[in-house]
Amino acid sequence: MSITSTLLLPEHYYHIYNHGNASDNLFRNDDNYNYFLNRYGFYINSFADTYAYCLLPNHFHFVIQIKSEKDLMEQVKIKNMKIEESVTDTLSDFTNQQFSNLFNAYSKAFNKMYNRNGKLFRLPFKRKELDNDTYLLKAIHYVHANAVHHEFVKEMIDWKYSSIHAYLSDKQSAIRRNKVLDLLGGINGFNIYHQQSIDVKYKIEMDF
């Protein structure tokens, strides 16, 4: 199954990513980044937990876990969406629609702000299942290192729009960091893990 047709299944982990259409940037200033994160929370937090993210001028990455089937069905009913004979089809339609709503809402606001017309995001958005904890950690590391990888900054912490700041802070956060910190043995293990180079195989799979 391709990275654009993979179903988003309950309780599974995924690396979600997308790019601006053609050579377009998705974010031009701080207001754009903040508005996108706000809309992301509005549309996505109801059906997925977020473990990592990084927003760069022309693309973004998220690592998420889809919530349980029960939680998803509750959201489907709240939003009065059509329930298919197949529960899998129903939930897949629901999750894809929420991402579509996110992209449409952001695109409309962005186009209005910059007197722009046309498609902003490449479609369909890409997604890759992370089927074990090792792969999950590689994805999170890749996401946090993305601004360094693309040479926007020299250190991960220097990039403002990344969830790495949530991991290095004691403040309450929507980022689900406890599982990751537990897997890595706490914040010291997290820091050591993030000092390594990006896994070459994973980089090849994920680079645009």
Side-chain angles (χ1 to χ4, degrees):
M1 189 174 289
S2 75
I3 56 178
T4 56
S5 63
T6 299
L7 296 179
L8 300 177
L9 301 175
E11 301 185 47
H12 288 224
Y13 294 89
Y14 297 92
H15 184 163
I16 304 291
Y17 56 114
N18 206 350
H19 199 286
N21 187 43
S23 60
D24 291 348
N25 277 348
L26 300 173
F27 314 108
R28 300 185 185 182
N29 57 39
D30 287 347
D31 287 342
N32 296 159
Y33 286 104
N34 288 325
Y35 184 73
F36 183 84
L37 288 173
N38 176 277
R39 293 296 82 192
Y40 176 89
F42 180 80
Y43 287 108
I44 308 304
N45 285 356
S46 63
F47 76 88
D49 294 324
T50 302
Y51 288 78
Y53 74 84
C54 185
L55 310 183
L56 294 175
N58 66 354
H59 70 281
F60 65 78
H61 297 269
F62 286 89
V63 176
I64 66 171
Q65 182 185 26
I66 305 300
K67 293 188 177 181
S68 70
E69 182 178 307
K70 178 182 177 182
D71 289 339
L72 294 182
M73 286 303 297
E74 288 178 357
Q75 289 298 315
V76 167
K77 292 173 182 177
I78 288 172
K79 297 181 185 300
N80 295 315
M81 290 189 65
K82 181 180 179 182
I83 299 178
E84 309 284 352
E85 289 187 17
S86 166
V87 172
T88 299
D89 288 344
T90 297
L91 300 184
S92 178
D93 289 346
F94 169 71
T95 53
N96 280 294
Q97 184 60 52
Q98 298 315 298
F99 274 107
S100 178
N101 291 343
L102 165 64
F103 300 145
N104 287 337
Y106 181 78
S107 295
K108 286 179 181 178
F110 186 92
N111 284 350
K112 182 178 180 180
M113 177 176 288
Y114 296 109
N115 193 28
R116 179 186 180 279
N117 294 305
K119 186 169 65 172
L120 180 61
F121 294 92
R122 294 181 186 177
L123 296 174
F125 67 92
K126 296 182 180 181
R127 73 293 299 267
K128 186 170 184 63
E129 185 174 359
L130 308 169
D131 57 7
N132 59 62
D133 288 343
T134 298
Y135 218 19
L136 172 66
L137 293 175
K138 287 181 183 296
I140 290 170
H141 178 227
Y142 176 87
V143 169
H144 285 157
N146 212 240
V148 176
H149 170 50
H150 289 288
E151 300 183 342
F152 285 99
V153 291
K154 292 185 177 180
E155 301 292 338
M156 297 180 204
I157 198 171
D158 292 334
W159 188 251
K160 186 185 299 186
Y161 294 102
S162 163
S163 56
I164 195 167
H165 300 286
Y167 282 90
L168 301 179
S169 171
D170 293 329
K171 294 180 180 179
Q172 186 174 358
S173 173
I175 300 299
R176 298 295 180 135
R177 55 197 174 192
N178 288 345
K179 176 186 171 81
V180 177
L181 293 176
D182 287 345
L183 287 172
L184 293 172
I187 192 62
N188 287 336
F190 177 89
N191 288 330
I192 292 170
Y193 188 83
H194 278 66
Q195 289 170 7
Q196 65 183 315
S197 300
I198 294 175
D199 180 88
V200 174
K201 182 176 182 295
Y202 195 82
K203 173 183 175 295
I204 293 171
E205 291 177 359
M206 302 308 300
D207 278 2
F208 288 98

